Amino acid sequence: MKIAFSCTGTDDTARTDPRFGRCEAFAVADTETQKIAYMQNAAQSAAGGAGIAAAQQLIDAGVKGVLTGNLGPNAFRVLSEAGIKAYCIGEMSVPEALAAFMKGGLAPIGEAGNAHAGMRGGPNA
Amino acid sequence: MNVCILSGKGGTGKTTVAVNLSVLLGADYFDCDVEEPNGFLFLKPENVVSEESKVDYPVFDKQKCLLCGNCAGACEFHALANTRQSILLFPELCHGCHACELVCKPGAISYAQRTTGRIEKGEAHGNRCARGVLNVGESMAVPVIRKLLGGLPENGNCLLDCAPGTSCNVTAALKFADAAVIVTEPTAFGLHDMLLAAELLETRGIPFGVVVNKSDGKDEIIESACTARCIPLFGRIPFSRMAAEAYSRGKLLANLPEYRAPFESIAQSIREAFAWN
């Protein structure tokens, strides 16, 4: 099964990023082989609908689970309809995050955080 | 002739200039600042009629849809997502551009409409006046501005009171402009944003001049920039508490004896510069 982490870069020095739609990159890990591949988040600087576009990118990549900090209502709706489960993860390295997922017990994200329009709420909104 | 009133910086007095010039020049008034239209507070139009402003959104025929996702890929605004179970639509992001229809091979897309604002038209001081009003919670002003200005009279004399800034909300109105007036104030912010507006107008080849509002009589900061760039200065509106009080009560400044002459002078400069009327 493939799972994705929102993260800060495209190599193993990357940290998990609590932002979903506006994160730098996604790490896609195979839970069987433990291999991690990275891809840029094409939606990072989208004018609008970044969460939707990021979720679409992960659907297209065939992931079945997402680990991130916060999901906005639009991204949450897209992932839910696609049957992709989302889990909340703290800030750590990507290999540490994969280990945390394999261990189990991560809190599922059951409802969306507050909507915000683009980056007008600041980078931490 | 259609003259756009813009500013760059918000709060410099676009509406103050536009409503007073509408009365002095006998021009029809169009409030294109549809996110916060306030010109009607001063013109107080009568016989106002209202009409809804709508945008198209796609509707999917599930019998025909192959879930190929071409529509979601084509949507520049990310209003569509292909979850492999269905195509999800986020109506508030859809600009109604019909790109999805162009790439839908099985022809599964038709369109319905939703209301995002309204157009109000009335009469004041012997002129027509109209405004667009974007509904609260909606983010797309341009369709409302387009609908408002789609009704511009041919060969009329119209003042288009624009949104602040230099964004799509301004350029949507500039498409109809024959000339423009930038309203600014003698501050560093006023200057900075005036220059952005000037650059926008220059790239569009639209002739324009500047009005300095809240003038302290010196206005060196604006004056020197206009001189350096050969931008005509149409006039100044003096800063005073009296003007602020009249504004806050929804009164026309041109009706104050102290302000009649400055506005008459600005109106005359505009008549001459644009060969108006």
Side-chain angles (χ1 to χ4, degrees), chain B residues 197-220:
Chain B
E199 197 181 328
L200 174 64
L201 291 167
E202 280 159 6
T203 61
R204 298 296 173 101
I206 298 169
F208 67 97
V210 164
V211 168
V212 183
N213 188 23
K214 305 181 219 177
S215 164
D216 59 5
K218 300 195 269 296
D219 315 322
E220 168 60 24

Side-chain angles (χ1 to χ4, degrees), chain B residues 21 41 44 57 72 76 89 91 130 137 172 175-176 196 217 239 274:
Chain B
L21 287 183
L41 297 176
K44 303 177 177 60
Y57 66 89
E76 194 67 27
L89 168 71
K175 283 186 182 157
F176 299 88
L196 291 180
F239 183 69
F274 303 145

Side-chain angles (χ1 to χ4, degrees), chain A residues 3 30-32 34 67 95-106:
Chain A
I3 57 169
D30 187 314
T31 54
E32 276 97 65
Q34 298 285 300
L67 284 76
E96 283 168 349
L98 177 57
F101 177 80
M102 297 307 291
K103 197 175 151 198
L106 292 178

Side-chain angles (χ1 to χ4, degrees), chain A residues 48-49 52 56 60 74 77 81, chain B residues 78 81-82 84-85 90 93:
Chain A
I52 296 165
Q56 182 73 64
D60 295 344
N74 290 350
R77 189 174 151 216
E81 293 259 345
Chain B
H78 305 132
N82 177 16
R84 308 291 194 268
Q85 316 296 318
F90 294 87
L93 297 177

Side-chain angles (χ1 to χ4, degrees), chain B residues 44-99:
Chain B
K44 303 177 177 60
E46 294 176 333
N47 307 322
V48 175
V49 292
S50 181
E51 184 188 351
E52 288 186 331
S53 177
K54 299 177 178 186
V55 290
D56 286 358
Y57 66 89
V59 178
F60 296 85
D61 182 339
K62 286 183 180 149
Q63 303 297 317
K64 290 184 184 168
C65 178
L66 306 172
L67 292 176
C68 68
N70 282 354
C71 53
C75 184
E76 194 67 27
F77 309 104
H78 305 132
L80 296 169
N82 177 16
T83 67
R84 308 291 194 268
Q85 316 296 318
S86 65
I87 303 293
L88 284 186
L89 168 71
F90 294 87
E92 69 280 8
L93 297 177
C94 174
H95 285 50
C97 73
H98 290 227

Side-chain angles (χ1 to χ4, degrees), chain B residues 5 13-20 29 31 33 38-39 42 161 247:
Chain B
I5 313 290
K14 284 178 297 301
T15 297
T16 299
V17 168
V19 295
N20 285 286
Y29 171 84
D31 198 338
D33 190 4
N38 61 345
F42 302 94
D161 188 3
Y247 172 90

Side-chain angles (χ1 to χ4, degrees), chain B residues 80-155:
Chain B
L80 296 169
N82 177 16
T83 67
R84 308 291 194 268
Q85 316 296 318
S86 65
I87 303 293
L88 284 186
L89 168 71
F90 294 87
E92 69 280 8
L93 297 177
C94 174
H95 285 50
C97 73
H98 290 227
C100 47
E101 184 182 32
L102 290 177
V103 297
C104 182
K105 286 185 185 145
I109 295 176
S110 59
Y111 289 86
Q113 290 195 313
R114 67 189 191 92
T115 300
T116 60
R118 64 183 189 276
I119 308 299
E120 294 177 348
K121 295 174 183 171
E123 296 148 18
H125 307 273
N127 305 316
R128 279 180 287 189
C129 48
R131 67 174 180 177
V133 184
L134 183 67
N135 286 350
V136 172
E138 294 291 345
S139 59
M140 286 185 301
V142 171
V144 179
I145 298 168
R146 281 201 191 124
K147 182 168 176 74
L148 170 70
L149 298 181
L152 275 180
E154 297 243 348
N155 307 319

